[in-house]
Amino acid sequence: DAKTTQPNSMESNEEEPVHLPCNHSTISGTDYIHWYRQLPSQGPEYVIHGLTSNVNNRMASLAIAEDRKSSTLILHRATLRDAAVYYCILIPYAGNMLTFGGGTRLMVKP
Amino acid sequence: ETGVTQSPTHLIKTRGQQVTLRCSSQSGHNTVSWYQQALGQGPQFIFQYYREEENGRGNFPPRFSGLQFPNYSSELNVNALELDDSALYLCASSARVDSGNTIYFGEGSWLTVV
């Protein structure tokens, strides 16, 4: 499985935008880029996913580099509820088994 | 609310015992996966069931087994429990087995082995 690299932790102020980076230099052409987050004492929660083009939904935006070797999850205005571990995961087209790395622990300061 | 429900939420077992964890998938979802999450770590894939057949397995020994029923609910069974089996066990369901599809997780079952 292609691996991803994320910073261990990041800090943000409430109401400010947050850019969470992910490197995936060994991504293959059919790998989808998925982001999940896990709030304390909860199961992981789907955030967004994409293949080649940038994607937006009500939770976040996903910016994918032109060579697809990196991506950035963008939270437009961080709230205290966004404090969680964010996982960037690559999933081959013919499968939906998630391989979680260490993720990025996002801390949001009031 | 993801529509994926797991039971029990917490349980304590003794080393050597057996445990069964249950999962009801979201309505219409025919694919169920199980994950183990040790404290401070990311979830690890155990196995997946698609239409009642095992569709993939992670690096877990045979004492971890599962079932999927015709209504697509699922069970995870662990025999001969070891202390290291203490973890959060997560069930995830999705409508299809391909990757362009959202996967929904339950809140998990916390297992403590003493």
Side-chain angles (χ1 to χ4, degrees):
Chain A
D1 290 341
K3 293 200 184 306
T4 62
T5 305
Q6 299 177 253
N8 289 336
S9 64
M10 290 184 66
E11 237 179 45
S12 170
N13 294 317
E14 200 176 9
E15 305 286 313
E16 290 186 356
V18 182
H19 288 64
L20 297 165
C22 181
N23 286 319
H24 29 78
S25 57
T26 59
I27 190 170
S28 76
T30 56
D31 285 342
Y32 281 77
I33 302 161
H34 282 240
W35 283 82
Y36 283 76
R37 71 180 185 182
Q38 189 170 22
L39 279 64
S41 300
Q42 294 191 24
E45 174 187 29
Y46 169 81
V47 178
I48 200 166
H49 77 278
L51 184 61
T52 55
S53 304
N54 295 343
V55 184
N56 300 298
N57 67 20
R58 62 174 180 81
M59 288 182 71
S61 295
L62 176 61
I64 301 173
E66 199 168 327
D67 63 5
R68 298 205 333 122
K69 295 189 178 197
S70 65
S71 61
T72 303
L73 178 70
I74 302 164
L75 306 179
H76 296 287
R77 288 178 68 205
T79 69
L80 296 178
R81 197 196 171 278
D82 291 323
V85 178
Y86 286 78
Y87 295 99
C88 168
I89 301 167
L90 302 182
I91 308 179
Y93 175 76
N96 63 1
M97 304 160 200
L98 305 179
T99 301
F100 289 82
T104 297
R105 181 172 299 278
L106 175 66
M107 292 165 280
V108 180
K109 296 184 292 184
Chain B
E1 283 293 329
T2 64
V4 180
T5 56
Q6 294 187 242
S7 62
T9 53
H10 295 81
L11 71 166
I12 300 173
K13 290 286 190 177
T14 303
R15 191 170 47 182
Q17 284 188 315
Q18 178 264 344
V19 69
T20 297
L21 307 177
R22 295 178 175 83
C23 172
S24 291
S25 58
Q26 192 177 108
S27 176
H29 285 188
N30 58 21
T31 304
V32 173
S33 303
W34 287 90
Y35 293 80
Q36 180 196 67
Q37 186 172 23
L39 207 58
Q41 315 255 334
Q44 302 295 310
F45 173 73
I46 303 175
F47 44 57
Q48 181 183 85
Y49 279 83
Y50 171 61
R51 293 185 174 178
E52 303 178 57
E53 299 281 334
E54 187 176 293
N55 186 50
R57 189 177 183 94
N59 189 25
F60 281 80
R63 60 189 184 84
F64 285 78
S65 62
L67 278 175
Q68 188 179 31
F69 300 100
N71 66 355
Y72 302 133
S73 66
S74 177
E75 281 183 1
L76 165 65
N77 298 291
V78 187
N79 294 322
L81 283 167
E82 300 175 1
L83 297 179
D84 284 349
D85 295 333
S86 296
L88 175 66
Y89 288 85
L90 295 160
C91 172
S93 78
S94 57
R96 295 191 312 272
V97 72
D98 64 80
S99 59
N101 199 43
T102 302
I103 299 166
Y104 297 92
F105 283 82
E107 296 299 308
S109 294
W110 289 94
L111 171 65
T112 302
V113 182
V114 297

